[in-house]
């Protein structure tokens, strides 16, 4: 929604640049991670996911890197476009008795200038 | 494509009113979730359900209840709305995979 980004860190890039959005997670037992994109007035939209047995996964123009040693996750967007402007959230899966439970970061706002 | 719909995009209620937020998904997902989203706090889990008539408390269940009478529908109930429940409410569903699909959200204002 409109007020989601009031207190968010912001990354400003020029159209065509590559963007890197970072996320630190806290639970070393988390086994699954997701990146979501949320445009103003909309619900979060799935971008890409990665399991803890991988350190890199690529999608269309996006790459997720996972560093379990330092509990760090990053989302790389190649050739950033104005339509990529949104708030990006990482989420980690902390399973409780086998049931999925996603814990979300507070998000980063990406602003893309033409 | 998975579709998760929520009954209202914007809702304004008065303190003390009973509020119903409805969520429907069309992918036969077992799991459904209700979150609230507030600036600086991200998404916080209120309640979830992994089967019809089953429900479990999330991280912030106080002041809320839920109902899951049918697999496709998950309702969030505010028994007596208060101003601190002004927020964006997001419903999500998931199947066998952990990926959750979200609805568009309901922005609730309690006056």
């Amino acid at each position: 929604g409109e007020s989601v980004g009031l207190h968010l860190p912001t990354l400003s890039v020029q159209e065509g640049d590559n963007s890197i959005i970072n996320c630190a997670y806290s639970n070393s037992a988390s086994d699954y991670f997701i990146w979501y994109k949320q445009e103003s007035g909309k619900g979060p939209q799935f971008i890409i996911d990665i399991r803890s047995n991988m350190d890199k996964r690529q999608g269309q123009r996006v790459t997720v890197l996972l560093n379990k040693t330092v509990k760090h996750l990053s989302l790389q967007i190649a050739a950033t476009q104005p339509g990529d402007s949104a708030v990006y959230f990482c989420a980690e899966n902390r399973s409780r008795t086998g049931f999925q439970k996603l814990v979300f970061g507070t998000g980063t706002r990406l602003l893309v200038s033409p | 494509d998975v579709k998760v719909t929520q009954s209202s995009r914007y809702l304004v209620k008065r303190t003390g009113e009973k509020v119903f937020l409805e969520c429907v998904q069309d992918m036969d997902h077992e799991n459904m979730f209700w979150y609230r989203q507030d600036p600086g706090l991200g998404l916080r889990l209120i309640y979830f359900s992994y089967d019809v008539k089953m429900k479990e408390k999330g991280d912030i269940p106080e002041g809320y209840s839920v109902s899951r009478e049918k697999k496709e529908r998950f309702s969030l109930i505010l028994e007596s709305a208060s101003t601190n429940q002004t927020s964006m409410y997001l419903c999500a569903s998931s199947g066998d995979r952990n990926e959750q699909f979200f609805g568009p959200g309901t922005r609730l204002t309690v006056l």
Side-chain angles (χ1 to χ4, degrees):
Chain A
E2 311 80 284
S3 64
V4 165
L6 281 179
H7 307 287
L8 295 177
T10 299
L11 174 66
S12 297
V13 300
Q14 293 285 109
E15 182 177 359
D17 287 352
N18 296 332
S19 303
I20 301 176
I21 301 171
N22 296 303
C23 178
Y25 64 94
S26 56
N27 192 331
S28 56
S30 294
D31 58 0
Y32 176 70
F33 304 87
I34 306 178
W35 279 100
Y36 284 94
K37 171 186 180 183
Q38 187 174 25
E39 297 173 277
S40 181
K42 297 182 179 179
Q45 178 186 4
F46 171 88
I47 302 173
I48 192 167
D49 58 1
I50 188 168
R51 299 206 173 270
S52 58
N53 60 355
M54 303 170 68
D55 52 21
K56 180 179 180 179
R57 189 157 189 239
Q58 288 185 292
Q60 189 177 13
R61 279 202 308 119
V62 295
T63 301
V64 56
L65 299 178
L66 175 62
N67 185 330
K68 295 181 283 294
T69 303
V70 295
K71 296 200 285 283
H72 183 267
L73 195 66
S74 68
L75 176 71
Q76 300 178 2
I77 304 173
T80 314
Q81 302 167 0
D84 294 327
S85 293
V87 175
Y88 290 81
F89 299 92
C90 65
E92 59 181 298
N93 181 51
R94 298 182 190 174
S95 293
R96 188 172 65 192
T97 61
F99 186 78
Q100 56 165 295
K101 181 176 185 243
L102 291 181
V103 176
F104 291 82
T106 53
T108 297
R109 176 178 293 282
L110 177 65
L111 294 175
V112 183
S113 306
Chain B
D1 283 349
V2 174
K3 192 167 184 184
V4 180
T5 57
Q6 295 183 228
S7 51
S8 304
R9 293 301 305 275
Y10 299 93
L11 210 52
V12 179
K13 296 292 181 180
R14 296 204 174 274
T15 301
E17 280 192 78
K18 190 169 186 176
V19 182
F20 293 88
L21 301 182
E22 304 284 340
C23 175
V24 178
Q25 50 94 4
D26 67 358
M27 283 301 291
D28 201 36
H29 282 167
E30 292 80 17
N31 312 309
M32 296 189 75
F33 307 82
W34 274 107
Y35 295 89
R36 64 178 283 175
Q37 183 176 37
D38 301 287
L41 297 176
L43 276 75
R44 293 181 292 166
L45 182 64
I46 304 172
Y47 266 97
F48 63 98
S49 169
Y50 51 88
D51 202 352
V52 176
K53 297 192 186 295
M54 305 300 289
K55 59 185 179 184
E56 283 212 22
K57 293 179 180 180
D59 298 318
I60 51 163
E62 296 78 20
Y64 303 95
S65 62
V66 291
S67 172
R68 185 121 181 248
E69 296 296 318
K70 293 184 178 181
K71 191 174 186 180
E72 67 272 17
R73 188 179 297 269
F74 193 34
S75 302
L76 180 69
I77 304 155
L78 287 67
E79 293 290 340
S80 178
S82 62
T83 54
N84 63 11
Q85 291 179 309
T86 291
S87 187
M88 169 71 86
Y89 289 88
L90 289 160
C91 175
S93 73
S94 71
D96 294 337
R97 296 182 56 186
N98 289 347
E99 176 188 347
Q100 292 183 21
F101 296 89
F102 285 85
T106 295
R107 181 163 293 283
L108 173 67
T109 301
V110 183
L111 302 175

